[in-house]
Amino acid sequence: NAGVTQTPKFRVLKTGQSMTLLCAQDMNHEYMYWYRQDPGMGLRLIHYSVGEGTTAKGEVPDGYNVSRLKKQNFLLGLESAAPSQTSVYFCASSYPWQRQETQYFGPGTRLLVL
Amino acid sequence: EDQVTQSPEALRLQEGESSSLNCSYTVSGLRGLFWYRQDPGKGPEFLFTLYSAGEEKEKERLKATLTKKESFLHITAPKPEDSATYLCAVGVRGSTLGRLYFGRGTQLTVWP
């Protein structure tokens, strides 16, 4: 099992460009999450999904959109990138029933917006 | 407002020097407390889940404990390979199932 994978690993964008980050999991998890991690700020939830076809806003959703067309994939989109979106982005998944709320994380995507 | 606070922000230990990391939480109801380890340039890796005050879990040199207000991650005789950032997170009763709230982490450095 690969667990949670993220594509790409690193990307440089110019202000105003768009891009999509891909997250895939092979653990048959229902729930998936996108976080950003900035120095001194910890992990902050951007958007999450509780199942195929569903999405919901987290703590810091502005400037991002998401889609969950397939259970195993969760896409994070930046329509018009801004320097403030320079960060490391982590995807996670979980199967939060029967006291199993543990989230499993991918390796991250480093994004630099110039 | 629910909050998770970790202390200290950074900790430097000599190899073999035992210590503890703290995670205090102020939530309306705890559904679970989670500890993760994060190495530089990698995603967080799950270590432990604790559910009830008094519960303890161990893994190699690490031992996690839980009270009604805080959790401790005890590191016994640490080695340089234990150097990492340790993250604490909580699940909160009444919030969306599966959603976790993270602290900012403690960066641990163990030198030989």
Side-chain angles (χ1 to χ4, degrees), chain B:
Chain B
E1 181 180 326
D2 296 334
Q3 190 171 4
V4 180
T5 304
Q6 292 188 246
S7 61
E9 289 185 13
L11 181 63
R12 285 178 55 87
L13 299 173
Q14 188 170 14
E15 185 171 3
E17 180 186 359
S18 302
S19 187
S20 296
L21 283 56
N22 177 263
C23 172
S24 64
Y25 57 92
T26 53
V27 299
S28 51
L30 185 70
R31 203 162 58 207
L33 187 138
F34 302 78
W35 282 100
Y36 286 83
R37 169 190 172 126
Q38 185 175 22
D39 292 301
K42 296 191 176 181
E45 176 185 350
F46 171 69
L47 292 173
F48 304 110
T49 308
L50 302 167
Y51 293 105
S52 307
E55 189 175 357
E56 299 181 351
K57 294 230 175 128
E58 288 188 65
K59 180 180 180 181
E60 297 180 354
R61 295 177 292 282
L62 300 177
K63 179 180 178 180
T65 62
L66 181 64
T67 72
K68 288 187 177 180
K69 294 184 178 180
E70 58 192 348
S71 176
F72 292 94
L73 185 64
H74 307 277
I75 304 176
T76 302
K79 298 181 178 182
E81 52 262 42
D82 294 322
S83 297
T85 296
Y86 292 85
L87 302 173
C88 168
V90 299
V92 179
R93 291 191 192 280
S95 75
T96 302
L97 180 67
R99 181 166 178 174
L100 300 182
Y101 297 85
F102 283 82
R104 299 184 180 187
T106 293
Q107 185 174 13
L108 173 66
T109 304
V110 182
W111 49 284

